[in-house]
Amino acid sequence: MNKTVNPDDLQPVDDYGPLYAAHKKVYPQSVSGTFRRIKWGLMGFCLGVYYFLPFVRWNRGLGAPDQAVLIDFPNHRFYFFFIELWPQEVYYFTGLLIIAAIGLFLMNAIGGRIWCGYLCPQTVWTDLFYAVERLIEGDRRERMKKDASSDPMKLERISELVLKHSIWLLIAWWTGGAWVLYFSDAPTLVKELVTFQGPMLAYIWIAILTATTYTLAGFMREQVCVYMCPWPRIQAALTDEWALNVTYRYDRGESRMSVKKAAELRALGQPAGDCVDCKQCVAVCPTGIDIRDGSQMDCIQCGLCIDACDTVMTKIGRPTRLIGYDNDINIHRRQEGKPPVYKLVRARTVAYAAIIAVVGGAMVYKLATRSLLDVNVLHDRNPIAIKLSDGSIRNAYTVRVLNKHGFDRVIAIDIEGPANAAVHVVGADSVTPDRPMIVIGRDQTEELRLLVTAPEESNPEKSIPVKFHVTDIGLGVVASATDNFVSP
Amino acid sequence: MADHTEVDSVSGTATTGHAWDGIKELNTPLPRWWVITFYITIVWAIGYWIVYPAWPTISSNTKGLFGYSSRADVAVELANLEKIRGAKMAALATASLADIEKDPAMLALARAKGKTVFGDNCAACHGTGAAGAKGFPNLNDDDWLWGGSLEQIQQTLLYGVRSGHPKTREGQMLAFGKDGVLKPAEIVTVANYVRELAGLPTRPGYDPKAGAKIFAENCVACHGDNAKGNPDVGAPNLTDKIWLYGSDEATLIETITNGRNGVMPAWEGRLDPTTIKAMAVYVHSLGGGK
Ligand code: SF4
Ligand code: SF4
């Protein structure tokens, strides 16, 4: 029951709590080891590709852009090395998105959140920014000391900070700059940009990406992974018990004790844990967590704690991989005295790999058989059929011919279906009667108004299928489309 | 304000004292940042009122601090559009009708423009696809009352038909029955004669000779000896398969009795010459043009 109280008796309780938990700054310590080397390698590769790819040239012949990777918005074209895509072929991008999504699922089924730890742009750039910070301000302890120091800003400190932020901004600016180069001829755009002749849009995008890179990699860092990114939540739902996650092998590590005590216990033939509670794994963690608390959402699976602990284990002469890529099943198996099992091939991974193979295969097939001449036909709806003064029937169509070749082509249009039909293209001179020929410019689409006329007597049916064949006179290639010839 | 404040026993939170159907409202104030954001939006709105034109006055509105006007923006946009299209439109204005049809790019431009203007001005009578209706010619076919060449179409567009424009196309289908020129029986006969001309079946007992005689005396002046019509006076060809008002006997009797005099408005003065030109090209390119 609610009891009635006098408002004057109410104690104002400020128990709403803070609106958010105050953020604790993370000071990851530098570390070296296998996973750190992998991370350096991948970082170099990813950033190298991102920053320099726009400058790679690709010869596509005269008049066509010679940039290997180019998103040409004004002309609605996408170029990727030997591949050129038109807006009509947007399904390739659908395919790529499917492969990317399933690829993430597959990574997740094999090694948990490895995308996050090694390849995610947020991780890569944050890592780069940390490297700069470490170079200028020193490692973990030094940075913590400098931040905590109540000393008034000394010139040395200020210059350090200025230097750090300048380099950060430089990287961020280059990141934004590289982005816009994908949308225009890179060397030309660079020239325009430095002479302040570039398009406004380019400057705006550079500014936006400079700002986001600077803030996300310089300040928000692990908070993006922990609070903003939806992927950890999704991957938690996708992962299964066989996925290899960065795992503290507590069966081996517990209970924690000093090196000396462990040595004493072992000498007496008693069990002793390997973890010496040095907290190196925590010190190096870029999200500032303790992996020994079990697998957790904040862990981005970067493996740096593995490297840190391996160094410690080597130093104290114990086997490495107290922390390693493993799963709970194996921990339990070991506790029961059974050998661990690693199952990378299982229903889930096979299914993902199969989907990737099928979609990828379909895309490759489609790409290999991609026609450079296409035709789309749209029947006039209003009126659908026209009766002419001599009683014959005419249907009008909008025909769109796509010439994806790098040169002009002469095409001829034939139809097949209605008996005794004549074809006419509005605006085209009929050099050959009943076989209109039209020039389609290179890399162009042409919309034609096509009239098909046929005597009603020869075509008594209400609707007859009609095929349109567009023939490239020069190469003999034919593209076809089907529609109907309708009588009123 | 309620005199007594309750504390909810479950959550330990004070209530506001409001109750609906026995359900009491807990007093859980908004977070401060939320409230501040809310106040900022109010300040923003007031600023907006001042900076941009917003408040109506008796005869106009407040002008805002920068004199911004969306109308002026539209004018700028239109000017830009004119800059982009200007050259092409100027070419269209000077080109001859035949030249436009020969140049694919110009044809496409004229067709696009013509189609838009047609939708705005002509579709009401002729239909969006120019398919026409009873009494309103189908412009897709090859039957033309006043001629289907580019120039003839342009002229019909400019001056109209029986439109009152000084240069309008004129022609009359007389009301032979209403004006007492022909007796009802004669009208039935000549209606059947016209059906025969077009290759349509006639009613039993109809006298072709009488029909021919009535036709020769009353109709050839406009429709011609062979009934093929005359585009100078808009007299339709009576031997083809296309009928503006219908070819059944009842319709023909009505046509002959009361006459038909549809009106096509003149567009000169309402639309500029280039637009009319584009419309002529569009209509011609629908497929029926000659
Ligand atoms: S716990 Fe280890 S793997 Fe996870 S984020 Fe921290 S350092 Fe990386
Ligand atoms: S680094 Fe290894 S030994 Fe040190 S606290 Fe972490 S798990 Fe224990």
Side-chain angles (χ1 to χ4, degrees):
Chain A
M1 271 309 285
N2 290 343
K3 51 187 185 310
T4 305
V5 291
N6 192 311
D8 298 338
D9 297 344
L10 268 176
Q11 289 291 318
V13 201
D14 186 18
D15 65 348
Y16 302 121
L19 293 169
Y20 53 87
H23 174 244
K24 275 206 214 79
K25 196 168 171 192
V26 181
Y27 296 88
Q29 188 177 309
S30 71
V31 63
S32 57
T34 320
F35 295 99
R36 182 63 265 185
R37 272 196 297 279
I38 296 176
K39 270 171 76 73
W40 284 135
L42 285 173
M43 181 205 279
F45 176 74
C46 294
L47 292 179
V49 167
Y50 175 74
Y51 287 130
F52 296 107
L53 195 54
F55 294 98
V56 177
R57 302 288 102 186
W58 193 265
N59 186 7
R60 292 191 182 83
L62 213 66
D66 65 349
Q67 185 156 323
V69 179
L70 179 68
I71 300 156
D72 190 354
F73 270 126
N75 300 311
H76 310 287
R77 297 286 181 274
F78 173 73
Y79 301 96
F80 188 83
F81 295 95
F82 62 95
I83 301 171
E84 176 191 335
L85 296 184
W86 287 39
Q88 286 85 350
E89 294 159 321
V90 69
Y91 44 78
Y92 285 111
F93 297 99
T94 315
L96 273 184
L97 286 178
I98 294 174
I99 290 182
I102 306 292
L104 272 179
F105 295 178
L106 182 60
M107 275 197 221
N108 196 70
I110 291 174
R113 217 171 146 184
I114 42 178
W115 162 262
C116 304
Y118 299 93
L119 293 166
C120 173
Q122 174 64 20
T123 292
V124 172
W125 264 281
T126 302
D127 223 11
L128 181 65
F129 274 45
Y130 268 135
V132 172
E133 188 168 83
R134 229 173 258 134
L135 198 73
I136 294 166
E137 291 183 48
D139 211 349
R140 176 178 160 88
R141 273 170 200 294
E142 260 177 282
R143 297 207 305 275
M144 286 170 98
K145 211 160 59 204
K146 282 175 182 166
D147 276 1
S149 139
S150 50
D151 257 10
M153 293 284 228
K154 279 200 252 126
L155 190 65
E156 198 188 333
R157 177 72 180 137
I158 293 173
S159 57
E160 235 177 46
L161 286 175
V162 168
L163 183 64
K164 176 180 87 174
H165 286 282
S166 315
I167 298 179
W168 277 3
L169 276 169
L170 209 71
I171 297 172
W173 165 78
W174 194 11
T175 305
W179 175 261
V180 299
L181 297 183
Y182 285 91
F183 297 86
S184 184
D185 183 60
T188 322
L189 186 60
V190 169
K191 228 174 284 161
E192 285 174 359
L193 286 174
V194 294
T195 52
F196 296 103
Q197 310 275 301
M200 200 56 208
L201 207 58
Y203 289 108
I204 293 173
W205 272 105
I206 293 175
I208 291 175
L209 283 150
T210 306
T212 49
T213 310
Y214 180 63
T215 355
L216 292 179
F219 301 95
M220 304 189 65
R221 301 173 166 184
E222 81 286 348
Q223 298 175 69
V224 174
C225 315
V226 178
Y227 301 116
M228 290 167 66
C229 178
W231 179 233
R233 281 90 183 156
I234 298 168
Q235 69 102 37
L238 285 170
T239 198
D240 66 358
E241 69 274 25
W242 287 106
L244 295 175
N245 284 303
V246 174
T247 308
Y248 167 64
R249 290 171 170 140
Y250 55 86
D251 55 315
R252 213 189 104 187
E254 300 296 311
S255 52
R256 304 165 197 176
M257 58 190 72
S258 70
V259 189
K260 216 164 100 199
K261 186 147 178 245
E264 283 167 11
L265 279 178
R266 281 197 197 95
L268 296 173
Q270 282 176 19
D274 272 344
C275 175
V276 295
D277 210 8
C278 62
K279 296 211 165 65
Q280 281 304 298
C281 49
V282 180
V284 300
C285 177
T287 65
I289 55 165
D290 188 344
I291 192 64
R292 295 173 300 166
D293 294 344
S295 72
Q296 45 209 290
M297 203 197 69
D298 305 21
C299 172
I300 58 169
Q301 308 274 316
C302 63
L304 293 181
C305 50
I306 305 181
D307 284 344
C309 190
D310 278 359
T311 316
V312 175
M313 290 297 121
T314 316
K315 220 179 276 169
I316 64 169
R318 298 293 301 162
T320 56
R321 294 297 143 89
L322 172 55
I323 304 175
Y325 276 95
D326 207 344
N327 56 36
D328 281 350
I329 292 185
N330 282 330
I331 292 185
H332 290 307
R333 285 181 67 91
R334 266 196 301 270
Q335 278 175 327
E336 289 162 14
K338 294 185 207 154
V341 195
Y342 296 96
K343 259 209 213 164
L344 289 186
V345 181
R346 43 189 212 271
R348 189 185 280 252
T349 51
V350 170
Y352 291 152
I355 296 174
I356 292 176
V358 168
V359 176
M363 281 169 67
V364 169
Y365 172 77
K366 189 82 192 139
L367 206 60
T369 56
R370 179 178 187 264
S371 78
L372 295 175
L373 180 71
D374 265 345
V375 55
N376 302 324
V377 173
L378 191 70
H379 196 296
D380 263 22
R381 292 282 144 216
N382 178 20
I384 195 155
I386 303 145
K387 197 183 199 98
L388 298 184
S389 52
D390 64 356
S392 55
I393 308 301
R394 186 165 66 208
N395 281 200
Y397 305 85
T398 302
V399 176
R400 184 178 278 277
V401 184
L402 292 77
N403 174 14
K404 300 179 193 169
H405 261 305
F407 43 83
D408 295 359
R409 309 163 93 174
V410 181
I411 55 127
I413 299 177
D414 307 281
I415 60 153
E416 195 186 316
N420 303 321
V423 226
H424 174 67
V425 171
V426 172
D429 287 332
S430 293
V431 188
T432 41
D434 291 350
R435 198 179 191 221
M437 294 206 191
I438 297 108
V439 180
I440 313 283
R442 69 183 172 83
D443 211 28
Q444 289 279 319
T445 63
E446 201 77 60
E447 203 179 87
L448 308 169
R449 185 172 168 78
L450 198 115
L451 308 171
V452 176
T453 314
E456 196 172 22
E457 311 83 71
S458 349
N459 299 283
E461 271 119 282
K462 196 101 185 83
S463 175
I464 304 162
V466 51
K467 275 204 189 108
F468 297 84
H469 301 299
V470 171
T471 312
D472 179 321
I473 298 290
L475 300 175
V477 190
V478 185
S480 303
T482 315
D483 210 304
N484 286 304
F485 183 81
V486 183
S487 296
Chain B
M1 263 312 238
D3 285 5
H4 296 285
T5 305
E6 285 177 315
V7 171
D8 173 50
S9 60
V10 178
S11 62
T13 311
T15 72
T16 58
H18 301 155
W20 291 273
D21 295 340
I23 298 171
K24 288 159 186 159
E25 186 184 42
L26 295 184
N27 184 13
T28 47
L30 289 169
R32 191 169 35 186
W33 64 266
W34 177 266
V35 178
I36 292 172
T37 311
F38 179 57
Y39 289 145
I40 291 173
T41 61
I42 295 174
V43 174
W44 179 271
I46 294 170
Y48 207 95
W49 283 340
I50 298 167
V51 172
Y52 285 100
W55 288 96
T57 57
I58 288 173
S59 58
S60 143
N61 57 288
T62 55
K63 293 281 177 267
L65 288 186
F66 305 128
Y68 168 82
S69 141
S70 48
R71 217 167 245 280
D73 267 10
V74 172
V76 171
E77 292 287 321
L78 285 177
N80 280 339
L81 207 62
E82 191 52 43
K83 225 187 277 168
I84 297 165
R85 290 183 179 167
K88 286 181 180 171
M89 283 300 167
L92 202 63
T94 50
S96 78
L97 285 164
D99 287 344
I100 295 173
E101 283 220 337
K102 267 188 215 129
D103 179 340
M106 252 207 247
L107 175 66
L109 179 68
R111 268 182 58 79
K113 188 176 170 69
K115 186 171 183 169
T116 320
V117 184
F118 188 92
D120 289 348
N121 298 287
C122 318
C125 294
H126 292 282
T128 45
K134 185 175 174 179
F136 300 100
N138 180 347
L139 305 177
N140 290 278
D141 65 27
D142 61 342
D143 196 25
W144 298 88
L145 292 173
W146 304 92
S149 74
L150 273 167
E151 281 72 20
Q152 285 167 320
I153 295 172
Q154 188 186 31
Q155 177 154 354
T156 308
L157 279 166
L158 280 170
Y159 311 127
V161 176
R162 295 178 274 269
S163 66
H165 189 284
K167 293 190 194 164
T168 187
R169 295 190 181 280
E170 281 293 0
Q172 267 205 315
M173 171 69 194
L174 301 173
F176 289 94
K178 214 164 73 186
D179 297 348
V181 182
L182 293 176
K183 289 189 207 53
E186 290 174 317
I187 291 176
V188 173
T189 307
V190 80
N192 275 281
Y193 177 74
V194 169
R195 278 173 64 80
E196 194 181 14
L197 285 177
L200 298 165
T202 52
R203 82 159 53 192
Y206 137 78
D207 178 357
K209 269 201 198 116
K213 185 160 174 277
I214 302 166
F215 190 85
E217 282 167 5
N218 298 282
C219 314
V220 287
C222 294
H223 291 283
D225 286 336
N226 48 14
K228 293 253 191 258
N230 179 3
D232 293 338
V233 293
N237 180 349
L238 302 178
T239 62
D240 67 17
K241 300 271 195 310
I242 294 171
W243 296 84
L244 187 53
Y245 291 92
S247 62
D248 58 298
E249 192 191 52
T251 307
L252 283 170
I253 290 171
E254 197 202 326
T255 303
I256 302 167
T257 307
N258 297 321
R260 301 280 188 188
N261 288 294
V263 171
M264 155 90 181
W267 294 97
E268 189 191 42
R270 289 197 251 183
L271 298 173
D272 67 85
T274 315
T275 304
I276 292 176
K277 210 188 240 183
M279 262 159 76
V281 171
Y282 171 69
V283 169
H284 189 256
S285 73
L286 285 171
K290 294 193 166 147

